[in-house]
Amino acid sequence: MSAINGKQYVERINQLKANVWVDGKLVTGDISEHPAFKGAINSQAKLYDLQHNKKIKDIMTYQSPASKEFVGTSYLQPKTKEELKKRRERTQQWAQLTHGMMGRSPDYMNTVLMAFASSAELLRGTENCFPENIISYYEYVREHDLSLTHTFIDPQVNRIQFYYEQNDEPIAAKIVDKNNEGIVIQGAKLLATQDGKEKGFAFSIPSNTKGIKFICRESFAGKDSTFDYPLSSRFEKMDTIVVFDHVLVPWNRVFFYENVDVSNTFLSSSSFSAFALHQVTSRRIVKTEFVLGIVQSLIETINITDYPHVREKATELIIALETMKALVMKAEEEAEIDPWGYMRPNETTLRIAANIFSKTYPTFTEIIQLLGASGLMAIPTENTCRSLVKEDITRYLQAKSRGAEDRIKLFRLAWDLTMSPFGTRETLYERFFFGEPVQLTSYLYLSYDKECYVQRVTDFLKS
């Protein structure tokens, strides 16, 4: 097969009939029509359609080394700096359709799987590890253009530094049995800071596998109205708790199990962080561009350009945007061939970008709130603008450079990004995307090579 289109994507999602629960009710019928998922599925369908845009086909796809069919560039294992840049350009083409709001667009997990496959040889000859399973699964996903989800982020149970479950019935998902067919998983994907032997595992299975249940949080999609909810109606990404009820994972889908050392080191030793950070930073650049566009639109609409503090706030976004651009380009320029022959972007540089953005994005939210002020609270709905009081709305809510309806649309956009349930989730999501910010800075400090600079000081003092 080759890269799929949006229609094929929607059909696949509907055919799965996964066990999904929203607001205490099992989702029945086509999930693409459910209010909690309709907007996001429709938006992702447009992403897949973009793979068939003839004008950018060379960016969106490449020829599979196996089938010779054209497959999505997010699966590309880069061997040159040009291919690495092509991956970034492809990420940003997709991100522009969602304005960077879909942090879990399919190219993220495609990138993760590609990185795992590119580093699978790390597992060769290691107990209870199956590198060939990772490679074959990557190739299968690439050739069929599957859409993946993940359970990288765990719900919280007990955040004490050293926590072990004592329950006979597991809470955190664990292996409870092994047989000729595979491993059996019981429990939910919950927080267990210190993994025991039974919890060191990784696998991938279809989301409609018997025994898997997805329990969703409250939907933030709001109404279907793109006027009232311009972002959440299109890009609301559901978060769930994944419950495993004696789920059988076939051996050919097990990547490793009962190996704590591998469980604790594979992510850091592999190319996962470098490639995932490259994809995420590329998306965040597009998102920052969109936020800057909103900020400048607010400034021009209510004519506050001449205030120095307004210019200062807008400049914060400009600095953040250009810094992120410079860092991703630096990471590509300083990319090196890794031990398995793939062009890996400079991870340290991308970790710096991640540290900056996790602290900067909440500031974006605050800047929009400060600039919009009370204008972000008294915003009529679409129905109000079409009602008998339309004439009042037209007169009293006009702005310096926009009519009342256009002003309301802009302020509802700013509100949806920063003050709606969707918007506040976006802020929390970006703040913790790669982990707790203090841990991010600690890792960067510990991994950064500082000795050459210390030696300079030592040499100077000796002189």
Side-chain angles (χ1 to χ4, degrees):
M1 291 185 66
S2 59
I4 65 170
N5 59 34
K7 183 174 182 291
Q8 291 170 304
Y9 162 72
V10 174
E11 288 174 349
R12 286 181 177 182
I13 292 293
N14 288 333
Q15 289 169 2
L16 279 173
K17 304 298 181 185
N19 190 353
V20 180
W21 291 76
V22 179
D23 197 25
K25 298 176 183 177
L26 178 66
V27 175
T28 58
D30 289 343
I31 197 169
S32 65
E33 295 302 316
H34 191 283
F37 306 102
K38 185 176 181 179
I41 290 176
N42 182 57
S43 293
Q44 291 209 148
K46 292 178 181 178
L47 298 181
Y48 282 108
D49 282 339
L50 196 62
Q51 295 186 137
H52 298 273
N53 186 319
K54 294 180 180 180
K55 294 181 180 178
I56 53 175
K57 180 181 178 181
D58 290 342
I59 295 174
M60 303 306 295
T61 62
Y62 74 105
Q63 197 168 29
S64 164
S67 65
K68 306 306 178 184
E69 298 280 353
F70 282 92
V71 295
T73 303
S74 56
Y75 299 107
L76 176 64
Q77 295 173 295
K79 295 184 177 179
T80 66
K81 291 182 179 179
E82 287 68 29
E83 288 182 338
L84 188 59
K85 292 175 182 176
K86 179 177 178 177
R87 286 187 54 85
R88 186 239 303 161
E89 291 171 353
R90 194 250 195 239
T91 292
Q92 293 184 327
Q93 286 287 344
W94 263 20
Q96 285 171 15
L97 269 184
T98 66
H99 305 292
M101 296 295 159
M102 299 192 79
R104 293 200 300 254
S105 55
D107 53 327
Y108 175 71
M109 279 305 296
N110 294 351
T111 297
V112 170
L113 184 59
M114 178 279 293
F116 286 168
S118 300
S119 306
E121 292 304 314
L122 278 171
L123 305 180
R124 187 72 64 187
T126 306
E127 182 183 13
N128 297 332
C129 295
F130 309 100
E132 63 277 4
N133 287 358
I134 296 180
I135 295 170
S136 62
Y137 183 63
Y138 156 71
E139 292 173 347
Y140 177 80
V141 172
R142 179 190 68 199
E143 298 303 321
H144 292 81
D145 204 6
L146 301 185
S147 177
L148 307 181
T149 187
H150 60 89
T151 56
F152 279 4
I153 299 175
D154 300 327
Q156 300 168 352
V157 175
N158 188 333
R159 298 199 68 187
I160 191 171
Q161 187 171 4
F162 297 101
Y163 167 64
Y164 297 91
E165 278 188 24
Q166 302 296 325
N167 300 324
D168 293 332
E169 288 294 323
I171 298 175
K174 62 187 292 187
I175 298 172
V176 295
D177 193 17
K178 299 185 291 290
N179 55 44
N180 291 334
E181 296 181 75
I183 60 176
V184 178
I185 306 296
Q186 174 70 20
K189 196 69 179 79
L190 300 175
L191 185 68
T193 303
Q194 299 293 315
D195 282 343
K197 182 179 180 183
E198 75 280 2
K199 301 192 197 89
F201 58 83
F203 60 83
S204 183
I205 51 178
S207 60
N208 62 350
T209 298
K210 181 181 178 182
I212 294 182
K213 184 185 304 176
F214 296 90
I215 303 175
C216 301
R217 59 155 167 79
E218 177 185 359
S219 173
F220 301 153
K223 303 174 184 177
D224 286 338
S225 173
T226 56
F227 184 110
D228 292 338
Y229 302 93
L231 298 176
S232 55
S233 64
R234 294 176 170 101
F235 309 127
E236 150 72 329
K237 306 175 292 298
M238 181 57 73
D239 304 298
T240 74
I241 298 170
V242 186
V243 177
F244 298 86
D245 184 7
H246 291 86
V247 174
L248 176 66
V249 180
W251 284 117
N252 69 335
R253 288 295 185 89
V254 178
F255 302 151
F256 59 82
Y257 76 101
E258 293 185 351
N259 193 318
V260 176
D261 290 339
V262 168
S263 180
N264 290 337
T265 63
F266 183 62
L267 285 184
S268 59
S269 301
S270 71
S271 59
F272 160 75
S273 291
F275 285 118
L277 283 163
H278 184 252
Q279 189 274 341
V280 170
T281 305
S282 300
R283 172 189 62 81
R284 283 172 161 178
I285 287 170
V286 174
K287 189 170 189 175
T288 305
E289 291 173 337
F290 187 62
V291 176
L292 177 58
I294 292 174
V295 166
Q296 185 58 28
S297 296
L298 288 173
I299 291 171
E300 293 175 0
T301 296
I302 54 178
N303 195 26
I304 53 175
T305 308
D306 291 339
Y307 294 103
H309 73 276
V310 170
R311 296 176 182 176
E312 180 187 33
K313 289 178 175 60
T315 302
E316 285 189 50
L317 274 91
I318 294 171
I319 292 171
L321 174 59
E322 293 304 318
T323 299
M324 299 286 285
K325 287 181 180 179
L327 287 171
V328 79
M329 292 172 67
K330 177 178 180 291
E332 292 169 353
E333 184 59 33
E334 295 180 352
E336 295 180 348
I337 295 292
D338 69 12
W340 304 284
Y342 300 110
M343 185 63 69
R344 189 184 300 190
N346 186 278
E347 184 176 331
T348 298
T349 300
L350 294 169
R351 285 193 176 277
I352 291 170
N355 271 271
I356 290 173
F357 198 81
S358 69
K359 295 179 175 65
T360 303
Y361 189 81
T363 304
F364 297 172
T365 297
E366 182 181 31
I367 287 172
I368 289 176
Q369 290 175 347
L370 291 172
L371 295 180
S374 61
L376 292 170
M377 292 186 285
I379 318 175
T381 63
E382 181 177 19
N383 287 339
T384 304
C385 293
R386 306 284 183 266
S387 70
L388 295 176
V389 297
K390 178 180 179 179
E391 185 176 333
D392 293 318
I393 296 295
T394 301
R395 176 180 300 176
Y396 297 119
L397 289 182
Q398 62 181 294
K400 172 67 170 60
S401 64
R402 292 175 187 259
E405 185 167 317
D406 287 342
R407 177 190 183 278
I408 292 168
K409 284 183 178 180
L410 173 62
F411 273 74
R412 291 205 70 90
L413 172 60
W415 170 83
D416 206 11
L417 179 64
T418 63
M419 297 176 65
S420 71
F422 171 87
T424 53
R425 181 212 174 270
E426 283 293 301
T427 301
L428 190 69
Y429 182 76
E430 298 293 8
R431 189 192 292 271
F432 291 101
F433 190 95
F434 267 96
E436 205 280 326
V438 173
Q439 291 181 345
L440 287 179
T441 55
S442 294
Y443 185 92
L444 182 59
Y445 171 79
L446 293 172
S447 63
Y448 193 84
D449 183 7
K450 304 173 286 292
E451 289 307 308
C452 60
Y453 308 121
V454 172
Q455 189 61 47
R456 271 195 219 173
V457 174
T458 301
D459 292 344
F460 176 76
L461 291 175
K462 286 182 179 179
S463 67

